[in-house]
Structure formats: C-alpha cells, structure tokens
Amino acid sequence: MNGKSSDNRDKWFARFMCVFIACCLWVYVMSEQDPIVEKEYAVPLAQRNLTEGMIIFNLPEKVSVRVRGTRTALANMPQSDIFAFVNLNKLSVGTHTVMVNARFARGDVIQVTPPAANLFIDVKKDKIVQVNAEIIGSPNKDFAIEGHMLTPSEVKVTGAATRLEALDKVFVPVDVSSRSEAFTVTQKPLAVAKDGMDMQDVVIDPAEIIVRTKMKTRIQTATVPVKASYTGSLPENRKLTSATVNPFKVTVSGPPSVIDGLKELELEPVNLEAITKDAVVQARIVFPDRVSSDRKTVEIAITVENTETKETEE
C-alpha cells in the first residue's frame, strides 16, 4: 500500500512540474515575443469639476504621459486609452497649482510632464458690445467709401470678468483695396484690449458679421490754365501783336484720375481770317471726358496791326 501511494505522489509531482515548466516556458516565450516596453505620448489635458459660472486660464493644451505596457498593446492602442486631467473641484477665483492626473487602461502610468499646472480661475461674464468696421487698404482712386451696414451691429462677448474690463473694442476688418462698387463680405469679429493686444481668450457671438459696403464717386477740383489756338491766317497787311485770354485759368471738377493729370485746357481754335481789327472773341473750352466747369467759354482780346499803314508812314 505504501508503495502504491508513493507512486501516485510521484506521478502528481511529475504532472505539476510539467505544468510549471510549461508556464515558465510560456512566460519566457511571451516576454521574448511581446516584451514590456515604455512609451511617451502627448495627451490632451482635460479639466473636471469646474464650478458652474467659472472660467479657467493657463490650462496647458497637452501634457506628456509616459506609460508601460506590452509592445503589442502599445502598438495597437488608440491614444484615447490614455486620459489626462486636472480636478478643479471647489476651487474659487484666484491662482491655483493643481496636480495633473493620468489614467492608462492597458498598463501603468510611469510619469506625467509637467506633474502640476498653474491655473487662474475667474468668474465668467458677458457683455453686449457695438461692432465697427475697420478699413484695410484704399479703394479705386476715383471712389470713396460712403458707409457700411453691419448685420448684426452688436455682439455678445463672453469671458473672464477681469478680461472684459480690459476690452476696448470689437471690429471687423473690411478690405477695400481697389474697390469701385458696392460689395458684401462676411467677416469674423475681433476683440482688442485697451493695450492694443488681440483678445483671443474671449468668445464672440455670433462668430460672423455680414458687412455691406457702399461706394461713391469722388469729385476733385482744380484750377488749370487755358491755352488759345488759332486756325487760318490774318488778312493781308494785318499782323497779330497780342492775344490775351480772360480768364487765363478755369476751375474744373472731375474724377481724381483725370484731374491729377490735367495740366491745361484747350480752346476751340479762333479763325483769324475774319479778323481785320482789334477784337474780343468768345472761345469755347474743350473739356476732357468726365471733366466739367461752370464756365463754358473765355474771352480772347486780340490786337492786330495794319502793316500797310506803318510802311506808308515810314
């Protein structure tokens, strides 16, 4: 009997050792084929339990989380399996330093960088603000901006109470470069602080403004000289001694692109063939296209000399 019991114990011991060795071999093979490794990930940093009506500043967008797990698990893992967050439960207005927590569903978290975050918490408020158009560039030389219509003309700005106190204005940029007719654009409103810096930490509602811009024609005035011209010749024995234009300058108006290049005005030619003695003639002004004046004519005082009489006297 004792011999039989001893044989049974030997058999069970042998079986146990086989299973134990098999397990050790499996662990060895698995550790060789799928070893434990460490890897670092950039993970979005979330916030939890912020008191309603509060707003947070200086929260890092991402933190670095180093985790440990099998190579297979880390290779095929969606990054959402790593979750980083700060717990803001019961924190009041002011500056706080809070620990950064991280969770990893497939292994262990080894390190979080930075381990803590310096935050500022403030009361969330909003205010209604008038929106204005701010001009960029210059329209066509012959046109000017008549006005803008903004829809809506007011927006709601939401942010920290201390930031809203620093708000100076909300505007939409409107590029009018080379424009010569009415146009409509949709623009994002921008908030600017009293120190001139952009306020990207506030929310503007609505996020888009429709701007309708009207243009008008510019009229420019200038005073330019007039120039007489002639056709034909004086009768025989007559000589032109002087021709005086009155007025010799005329005020005109028109588009700046034309007026700026206008150096003088031409007159319709005076026919000299019909002039036998001193005379004052009316000459029509020749205006370039789109140029006008209250005066349509000028006078030319012409003085002639009888050369035949002069020769007889001599």
Side-chain angles (χ1 to χ4, degrees):
M1 288 291 295
N2 289 336
K4 193 179 233 183
S5 297
S6 179
D7 289 342
N8 287 335
R9 282 196 302 270
D10 291 342
K11 288 179 181 179
W12 279 108
F13 179 75
R15 290 172 183 171
F16 171 77
M17 290 302 297
C18 288
V19 172
F20 176 76
I21 293 171
C23 290
C24 290
L25 288 172
W26 181 84
V27 170
Y28 172 77
V29 170
M30 290 304 295
S31 64
E32 288 295 318
Q33 298 299 318
D34 195 13
I36 301 297
V37 296
E38 294 182 4
K39 193 171 181 180
E40 198 165 297
Y41 294 89
V43 180
L45 181 60
Q47 52 94 357
R48 285 180 171 178
N49 304 320
L50 180 64
T51 303
E52 186 176 355
M54 297 289 194
I55 190 169
I56 185 172
F57 290 93
N58 302 331
L59 182 69
E61 290 186 7
K62 292 185 176 182
V63 293
S64 178
V65 179
R66 189 170 189 85
V67 297
R68 179 190 293 131
T70 64
R71 182 161 53 193
T72 301
L74 296 184
N76 300 323
M77 172 194 78
Q79 193 164 318
S80 58
D81 279 5
I82 304 175
F83 179 64
F85 66 95
V86 289
N87 187 357
L88 308 177
N89 187 36
K90 297 182 180 179
L91 294 184
S92 59
V93 173
T95 301
H96 304 273
T97 299
V98 295
M99 298 301 298
V100 178
N101 302 290
R103 302 285 184 267
F104 178 40
R106 302 190 180 202
D108 301 318
V109 174
I110 304 302
Q111 185 180 31
V112 180
T113 307
N118 295 318
L119 311 174
F120 180 76
I121 296 178
D122 201 352
V123 178
K124 182 189 293 185
K125 288 191 175 181
D126 58 62
K127 66 186 298 187
I128 303 300
V129 180
Q130 181 79 28
V131 185
N132 296 308
E134 201 156 288
I135 304 304
I136 299 174
S138 300
N140 181 292
K141 189 175 185 179
D142 293 342
F143 294 86
I145 299 166
E146 184 175 352
H148 305 281
M149 185 173 73
L150 279 63
T151 306
S153 59
E154 294 181 333
V155 294
K156 181 173 74 171
V157 183
T158 303
T162 52
R163 294 298 289 153
L164 291 186
E165 290 176 1
L167 178 64
D168 180 45
K169 63 180 179 179
V170 176
F171 73 95
V172 284
V174 181
D175 190 352
V176 299
S177 300
S178 302
R179 294 281 189 176
S180 58
E181 57 185 20
F183 64 96
T184 300
V185 293
T186 300
Q187 293 287 66
K188 178 182 178 181
L190 304 174
V192 177
K194 294 173 183 176
D195 60 4
M197 300 298 292
D198 291 342
M199 299 182 67
Q200 300 182 2
D201 53 356
V202 297
V203 177
I204 303 175
D205 182 37
E208 290 185 334
I209 303 293
I210 299 172
V211 185
R212 296 176 176 87
T213 302
K214 294 181 66 177
M215 308 294 291
K216 62 181 179 181
T217 303
R218 285 184 61 206
I219 299 298
Q220 184 171 310
T221 61
T223 301
V224 295
V226 291
K227 179 183 178 181
S229 61
Y230 307 94
T231 185
S233 302
L234 289 170
E236 191 176 354
N237 300 325
R238 295 291 189 273
K239 179 183 177 182
L240 179 65
T241 57
S242 68
T244 304
V245 179
N246 184 35
F248 72 96
K249 287 186 176 182
V250 175
T251 299
V252 296
S253 61
S257 61
V258 178
I259 297 298
D260 285 346
L262 190 61
K263 303 305 179 185
E264 63 181 13
L265 291 169
E266 296 283 349
L267 297 176
E268 288 185 349
V270 175
N271 187 1
L272 295 177
E273 293 179 354
I275 297 177
T276 59
K277 59 181 180 180
D278 295 350
V280 176
V281 298
Q282 296 287 327
R284 292 184 61 83
I285 304 171
V286 180
F287 294 103
D289 186 33
R290 298 188 293 165
V291 174
S292 62
S293 173
D294 292 338
R295 176 177 288 275
K296 306 302 179 186
T297 63
V298 296
E299 294 180 344
I300 304 178
I302 298 175
T303 303
V304 298
E305 183 181 88
N306 188 335
T307 58
E308 186 177 53
T309 303
K310 187 174 182 181
E311 290 175 359
T312 302
E313 290 175 352
E314 290 177 351

